[in-house]
Amino acid sequence: MPFPPIDEQLAIIRRGVEKIVPENELAAKLTKSRDTNTPLRVKYGIDPTGIDVHLGHTVPLRKIRQFQELGHQAVIIIGNYTALVGDPSGRDHARAKRLTADEVEANAQDYLAQVGKVIDLSKAEVHRNGDWFAKMSFADILHLCGKVTIAQLLTRDDFAKRMAAESPIFLHECLYPIMQAWDSVVIKSDIELGGTEQLYSFMLARDLQADAKISQQIGVMSPILVGLDGVRRMGKSLGNYIGISESPFDMMKKFMQVPDGVMRMYFELLTDIPLGEIDTLMAGHPKTAKTTLACAVIGQYHSAAEADAAANRWQQEVGEGALPTDIPTVKLSRSKLVENKAQAARLLVDTGLVSTTSEARRAIAQGGAYFGESKTRLETHDQLITVETGLLLFVGKKKFCRVELLD
RNA sequence: GGGGGAAUUCCAGAGCGGCCAAAUGGGCCAGACUGUAAAUCUGGUGGCACAGCCUUCGGAGGUUCGAAUCCUCCUUCCCCCA
């Protein structure tokens, strides 16, 4: 099967990519690959530290997928050995927690299952870098370290910053980029994918490859995907992410809350919609564009039909204020009632919609609490509400429940 | 080893003997507006039997009518000197 023309390949590869280093070697590599009908080996490494894969992770993963579709060879490196060190990238301090080998392997399996939703695992090579690092002797390690100078290491941004700030840099952390680079030598990568913060390791890999007299890899770096807040990078700890395992409706709700400003980036990095078409969409009504974006992404992890259904449901429940489809039922003991009635504030607490009486009082005082099918506003905290099974209660737009009375 | 700082309510950060449940900003919550975007405006953001009461300002004691604010010890973190 012949590879597509170089221009076509370049257009696909360059989409949504922030930096290619060195840029000028890419075309040459592709040309040689095509002429000799040899797929390029495209490396992507991760540390199995327990990852709930979200859209931010899918950016480089999707790039691998694109390489696969162009006929190239995906090579996934599970950093089961490097995980023992901890990636110093983007950290001001050394990582504290150390994982056990078992945890690492369980994480790796879990990770691969998720990754399979984006790339074609059946056609990918998967390696664990412990396969080669575990076999190295101390002499081997010394030999490897002999190829890298401290001065070189210190050119790395993270380390330079830490040096300046006089915060500790542990010796084993210095080894991290060396190990990552050595992976590239072992698997003979032609391309390595990752975020822009990986530049140093990517370049070190080139040095080591040159030293080993094999072809040097090219770094293809994706930008950092911003999260739902439109400012900070998408990440689990920041709570501003969309996980690829979430339900279509949950994803839809999150997408619709994304600031308009990030739409173009999302379109470019998370969908295959042609750039020209994106321009057209962006020129139209933002809400339409956002819905299209959401459906395009959701459709990758669920069916197109499910994505559409989620969009419709969103329009009805959120856009038009219809009652939510799935309202959780909360069991309430009849003993909480006096002659079938309960005080409004008490009721909100007893049903768990709010956690304290004070919170309930606030919600009511501010007009943020409602009851019944017609969403009647609760007026006072001591207002008596007649409670029966099926009664609906709301606090704000996101919290609601249906009461079920128990004897 | 010696010296000097700092620990405040989700975060940052005021407060330095009563007017402190504790300024201000951020975040978050609710309301208005809207495309549940952004921006903007309003209110709120310890608890409770809520016009009052109770528990908070690293921990333990102490001084005082009264302490987040003063003293002692402890814990943790930071900085400087050698």
Side-chain angles (χ1 to χ4, degrees):
Chain A
M1 182 181 74
F3 288 96
I6 306 304
D7 287 349
E8 262 179 50
Q9 294 198 52
L10 279 174
I12 291 172
I13 293 167
R14 285 203 176 113
R15 169 171 175 156
V17 161
E18 180 147 331
K19 218 192 287 185
I20 297 175
V21 188
E23 167 89 42
N24 56 1
E25 284 183 24
L26 181 59
K29 272 234 188 218
L30 289 169
T31 305
K32 190 179 175 195
S33 150
R34 191 164 190 254
D35 289 348
T36 58
N37 199 32
T38 312
L40 293 178
R41 296 176 60 72
V42 182
K43 173 194 171 195
Y44 180 66
I46 60 104
D47 279 359
T49 47
I51 301 166
D52 188 10
V53 177
H54 58 62
L55 294 182
H57 300 118
T58 69
V59 174
L61 288 172
R62 281 175 49 76
K63 191 54 69 181
I64 298 179
R65 173 82 198 198
Q66 288 162 6
F67 272 106
Q68 283 188 311
E69 283 165 358
L70 291 172
H72 298 293
Q73 178 63 52
V75 183
I76 306 293
I77 307 287
I78 303 283
N80 62 341
Y81 225 69
T82 28
L84 301 175
V85 175
D87 185 356
S89 288
R91 286 170 198 284
D92 302 331
H93 301 288
R95 185 179 292 180
K97 207 175 99 190
R98 194 78 68 76
L99 297 169
T100 68
D102 284 347
E103 285 171 332
V104 167
E105 183 52 31
N107 287 339
Q109 293 300 337
D110 182 50
Y111 181 77
L112 285 173
Q114 299 181 69
V115 165
K117 292 181 182 176
V118 185
I119 69 171
D120 186 351
L121 271 183
S122 68
K123 289 182 186 155
E125 281 178 31
V126 177
H127 300 281
R128 286 164 175 71
N129 63 9
D131 291 352
W132 46 87
F133 285 124
K135 289 177 190 154
M136 287 174 80
S137 70
F138 199 79
D140 293 333
I141 294 164
L142 288 176
H143 183 68
L144 178 55
C145 288
K147 299 178 190 304
V148 184
T149 68
I150 294 290
Q152 264 180 305
L153 278 175
L154 291 181
T155 60
R156 189 187 158 113
D157 212 37
D158 315 273
F159 290 152
K161 275 186 192 147
R162 278 207 243 166
M163 274 299 264
E166 297 186 4
S167 35
I169 300 171
F170 289 91
L171 213 45
H172 70 286
E173 290 183 283
C174 296
L175 254 31
Y176 185 91
I178 300 175
M179 292 168 82
Q180 197 182 329
W182 187 248
D183 288 342
S184 292
V185 174
V186 174
I187 63 116
K188 297 186 168 60
S189 57
D190 292 300
I191 306 276
E192 177 155 11
L193 300 178
T196 47
E197 77 283 357
Q198 301 289 328
L199 178 64
Y200 177 80
S201 299
F202 285 11
M203 294 306 104
L204 184 57
R206 284 174 61 83
D207 292 343
L208 294 185
Q209 284 173 325
D211 184 76
K213 302 202 166 40
I214 58 175
S215 173
Q216 290 177 289
Q217 70 174 25
I218 295 169
V220 173
M221 288 163 280
S222 312
I224 303 298
L225 191 74
V226 297
L228 303 180
D229 54 20
V231 181
R232 297 171 299 179
R233 68 182 293 163
M234 183 174 283
K236 191 175 188 181
S237 56
L238 296 174
N240 62 352
Y241 70 102
I242 300 178
I244 66 170
S245 303
E246 293 187 43
S247 77
F249 188 58
D250 284 340
M251 289 172 103
M252 180 60 67
K253 280 192 286 193
K254 289 187 178 180
F255 265 114
M256 296 309 279
Q257 285 187 68
V258 156
D260 289 356
V262 305
M263 277 204 282
R264 180 174 292 278
M265 184 190 210
Y266 278 24
F267 264 122
E268 192 172 343
L269 298 179
L270 302 176
T271 76
D272 294 321
I273 298 172
L275 298 178
E277 221 172 288
I278 293 174
D279 288 337
T280 310
L281 279 163
M282 293 294 291
H285 194 293
K287 189 185 174 189
T288 312
K290 207 174 279 182
T291 310
T292 308
L293 167 68
C295 286
V297 177
I298 294 171
Q300 292 168 30
Y301 305 101
H302 302 281
S303 69
E306 285 173 302
D308 281 345
N312 288 333
R313 186 176 154 196
W314 184 88
Q315 180 53 33
Q316 284 171 11
E317 293 181 18
V318 181
E320 291 160 28
L323 289 177
T325 309
D326 39 38
I327 301 177
T329 299
V330 172
K331 292 177 167 51
L332 187 68
S333 167
R334 230 176 251 286
S335 64
K336 298 279 189 185
L337 307 179
V338 178
E339 295 178 8
N340 293 323
K341 292 175 190 295
Q343 287 198 350
R346 288 245 70 84
L347 198 52
L348 297 183
V349 176
D350 290 338
T351 52
L353 287 183
V354 297
S355 46
T356 64
T357 316
S358 301
E359 201 180 332
R361 282 171 176 256
R362 264 179 245 134
I364 294 168
Q366 297 186 131
Y370 321 82
F371 73 104
E373 301 282 335
S374 54
K375 298 189 75 169
T376 309
R377 195 165 261 180
L378 289 167
E379 301 295 338
T380 62
H381 68 89
D382 53 2
Q383 176 179 359
L384 290 173
I385 303 298
T386 302
V387 182
E388 50 194 26
T389 292
L391 175 71
L392 294 173
L393 293 169
F394 307 83
V395 173
K397 296 189 179 78
K398 292 164 194 156
K399 284 176 286 189
F400 42 78
C401 73
R402 188 185 293 280
V403 175
E404 183 186 341
L405 276 182
L406 297 178
D407 290 315

